[in-house]
Amino acid sequence: MKKTIVIVIAALLSVAAIAQPRAIGGRLSLGVEVSYQHSVGPGFVEMDLGYDYASGAGITATYNFICATPNWTPRGTWKVYAGPGVSLGTYFRTIPFNLGICGQVGLEYTFWFPLQLSVDLRPSIGFGTSSNSFVYNTLGLFGFVPTFGVRYSFGQK
């Protein structure tokens, strides 16, 4: 009986996850990131794993609320989004480990075919494990450098 309940719950969660719109691709700025988006409720979760040749590597997760969906074009959809997040990273030369909070604000366009383009800013602030432990961000110039994203969008309603 317990196995049956576990299997039913796992199946329901799998179907719910598959039915949600999501996207996978990359982001480019001062470094490169692999990016994954998953719709959750009125917004979406974005997870990025990135590398900046000047600074280091990091992983960031944000929950973005959709602030507006302007109708600027007859085909495709626009989204203006913003939200909080957390980041975890390393600066290879100076800080072995840092943990921070971030905010993200951006504009995204999803074509009528499964392609998504975005531009956003993601400033962050955090603390690291060195004598100079206050760091401004995990990747990029204080996060105020625009980042361009290209993703394959699937599961759209």
Side-chain angles (χ1 to χ4, degrees):
M1 183 66 176
K2 289 181 186 177
K3 287 182 184 180
T4 305
I5 293 172
V6 170
I7 290 172
V8 169
I9 291 173
L12 290 174
L13 290 174
S14 298
V15 168
I18 291 170
Q20 300 301 315
R22 46 203 190 282
I24 191 164
R27 295 167 32 101
L28 180 64
S29 185
L30 295 177
V32 294
E33 294 181 348
V34 175
S35 180
Y36 175 75
Q37 285 184 355
H38 191 94
S39 293
V40 177
F44 60 92
V45 173
E46 182 175 327
M47 292 176 282
D48 303 307
L49 175 64
Y51 174 76
D52 180 350
Y53 68 91
S55 299
I59 187 167
T60 303
T62 58
Y63 181 82
N64 294 293
F65 297 94
I66 298 171
C67 303
T69 54
N71 191 11
W72 291 334
T73 55
R75 296 177 75 180
T77 56
W78 290 90
K79 293 179 189 170
V80 177
Y81 58 89
V86 295
S87 60
L88 178 68
T90 179
Y91 288 95
F92 299 130
R93 298 183 186 122
T94 57
I95 302 171
F97 172 79
N98 82 48
L99 178 65
I101 57 171
C102 62
Q104 182 167 317
V105 61
L107 176 67
E108 174 181 285
Y109 179 68
T110 303
F111 289 88
W112 56 97
F113 50 91
L115 177 66
Q116 185 181 88
L117 301 176
S118 66
V119 61
D120 58 55
L121 298 173
R122 188 174 57 208
S124 63
I125 189 166
F127 297 92
T129 57
S130 76
S131 58
N132 185 9
S133 65
F134 186 73
V135 290
Y136 291 102
N137 71 330
T138 56
L139 292 172
L141 180 63
F142 301 107
F144 290 104
V145 175
T147 302
F148 302 98
V150 178
R151 296 178 191 87
Y152 173 76
S153 177
F154 51 100
Q156 296 294 328
K157 294 178 182 178

